[in-house]
Amino acid sequence: MTTESVLRPAAEQQYAAELAALAAADDRPRPPRWRMSPQAVVTYVLGGTLADGTVITPKYVGDRRLVEVAVGTLVTDRALLLVGVPGTAKSWLSEHIAAAVSGNSTLVVQGTAGTGEDQVRYGWNYARLIAEGPSEAAVVPSPIMTGMREGAVVRVEELTRMPAEVQDSFITILSEKTLPIPELGVQVQAVPGFTVIATANDRDRGVNQMSSALARRFNTVVLPPPATEDDEVEIVSARAAQLGRALQLPAEPPALEEVRRVVRIFRELRNGSTVDGRTQLKKPSGSLSTAEAISVVTSGMALAGHFGTGSMTADELASGLLGAVVKDRVSDTAAWQEYLEAVVKERAEWRDLYRACQDMVG
């Protein structure tokens, strides 16, 4: 299938031309089974311009050293754990690193309360198991087993959402680089290139706490929220425009000032104070992450394109902001109303947004 025929192409499909250009121009040493050198992987993630003039678009906006440490970890025998609050691009970064290193970001284990050991280790084709008994042909490989055999990067999403006993099934895999199949008396041994990138949410700490034995198998990199307002505006603007194209929204990309209003509101409510530090604010219960800011802007584009003038205005932003901020109808409504009266109303250039938000609250 082409990238135009699917809603959300994998990173290696969407950026195939950039990956090919980087690999062709890369003359540095490559670890076993890597598609390109660690330096080229960092360039793919952070963006740059190649010697032949090819422009590599930034996939992640953040500290270069953090990305270098993350990529450098994968060259060693330790797995990588990306930790951060919701919306700090943990999954996004893991997908793009896997695409650059292995050319395949689709070997994924999704962590949930219902994730079982068979999704980490292997399952069985029960029709063949009953008909033929235990055999290699009856084994259904997990993404982990496939990654071990192919020497590829495997992504584990929301590791700490998994039950503790399922988490512990990773210990032998990560320390011994083997996956025993006791029913067959054999074990799958990982070939060079195999590694794991896991993600975990700061707010899930304590839900299914990782054991110290498992934690030692990971090198942890903490991804912070965007450091500055300008960084967050850049991320939200670029991603919303990208989503608008993918969804074929009949609306113009939002003006930077409209994006900046959303980002500033989120940052001030997240931090519990206005940008100048003069007014202290109640913090809503939600995370108000960068990902949610992108959702608010994209929703505004959809409303403007299908029900408005095609250009996003305060009226389109208001509904998205209300839905993002108010998760608890009592405490969050009070916090939002206080912010509207104490901050939005006092900014002359935001009067249109104040009126639109008050209409939504009403």
Side-chain angles (χ1 to χ4, degrees):
M1 298 180 72
T2 64
T3 57
E4 290 79 14
S5 64
V6 296
L7 184 61
R8 182 22 175 105
E12 60 271 17
Q13 296 173 315
Q14 188 171 0
Y15 297 98
E18 291 185 15
L19 290 166
L22 272 165
D26 187 18
D27 58 359
R28 301 194 183 208
R30 305 180 187 186
R33 288 185 172 80
W34 280 42
R35 297 296 183 93
M36 60 186 71
S37 68
Q39 294 91 337
V41 174
V42 172
T43 300
Y44 168 75
V45 171
L46 296 178
T49 302
L50 303 184
D52 64 0
T54 302
V55 175
I56 307 300
T57 57
K59 318 303 181 303
Y60 174 77
V61 177
D63 182 51
R64 182 180 187 86
R65 195 58 178 169
L66 280 180
V67 178
E68 290 176 343
V69 170
V71 174
T73 296
L74 303 181
V75 183
T76 71
D77 65 344
R78 299 184 76 191
L80 172 65
L81 177 63
L82 300 176
V83 176
V85 297
T88 48
K90 301 181 294 296
S91 299
W92 182 257
L93 182 58
S94 74
E95 177 185 356
H96 282 284
I97 291 177
V101 170
S102 301
N104 182 6
S105 64
T106 63
L107 295 175
V108 183
V109 177
Q110 179 61 56
T112 70
T115 301
E117 278 197 47
D118 59 330
Q119 293 166 269
V120 174
R121 295 164 58 82
Y122 55 88
W124 294 98
N125 179 329
Y126 286 103
R128 298 196 71 159
L129 186 65
I130 293 170
E132 305 170 5
S135 67
E136 288 195 29
V139 173
V140 177
S142 69
I144 294 286
M145 181 180 286
T146 301
M148 294 176 75
R149 286 172 169 167
E150 296 179 357
V153 175
V154 181
R155 299 165 52 211
V156 179
E157 293 293 314
E158 303 293 351
L159 176 62
T160 52
R161 301 296 300 176
M162 296 181 186
E165 63 273 15
V166 178
Q167 290 182 33
D168 286 344
S169 63
F170 283 98
I171 293 176
T172 300
I173 294 169
L174 296 180
S175 59
E176 305 297 330
K177 302 297 188 291
T178 61
L179 178 53
I181 308 179
E183 297 89 342
L184 303 180
V186 300
Q187 58 183 10
V188 176
Q189 293 183 304
V191 300
F194 166 71
T195 191
V196 170
I197 304 177
T199 65
N201 197 321
D202 266 357
R203 296 203 172 193
D204 287 341
R205 198 169 285 170
V207 175
N208 288 304
Q209 191 71 37
M210 289 172 60
S211 67
S212 59
L214 180 57
R216 287 198 304 272
R217 271 68 182 181
F218 286 99
N219 184 36
T220 301
V221 173
V222 178
L223 298 183
T228 67
E229 183 178 290
D230 287 342
D231 284 346
E232 195 161 2
V233 169
E234 179 184 348
I235 295 167
V236 174
S237 182
R239 185 65 180 136
Q242 186 181 53
L243 284 171
R245 290 191 297 270
L247 298 170
Q248 299 181 28
L249 297 178
E252 301 172 2
L256 277 180
E257 284 312 306
E258 293 298 332
V259 176
R260 189 172 296 277
R261 287 207 285 189
V262 175
V263 169
R264 181 163 296 183
I265 289 168
F266 273 40
R267 291 178 72 88
E268 288 181 331
L269 288 172
R270 241 179 8 226
N271 297 332
S273 68
T274 53
V275 68
D276 58 12
R278 293 180 180 177
T279 305
Q280 298 303 303
L281 305 166
K282 293 178 182 175
K283 292 185 181 182
S285 60
S287 62
L288 296 179
S289 66
T290 306
E292 289 171 291
I294 294 168
S295 178
V296 168
V297 174
T298 306
S299 173
M301 291 171 64
L303 290 173
H306 291 291
F307 305 105
T309 62
S311 297
M312 191 172 66
T313 66
D315 289 331
E316 284 81 34
L317 282 183
S319 59
L321 286 169
L322 181 65
V325 175
V326 179
K327 305 298 186 187
D328 181 283
R329 293 196 60 174
V330 177
S331 63
D332 290 348
T333 298
W336 180 230
Q337 192 64 49
E338 178 191 88
Y339 182 77
L340 290 177
E341 296 297 329
V343 180
V344 178
K345 185 178 180 180
E346 299 303 315
R347 291 174 176 163
E349 69 277 17
W350 284 18
R351 292 291 172 82
D352 59 334
L353 184 59
Y354 173 76
R355 288 191 293 269
C357 289
Q358 286 291 32
D359 288 344
M360 286 299 304
V361 172

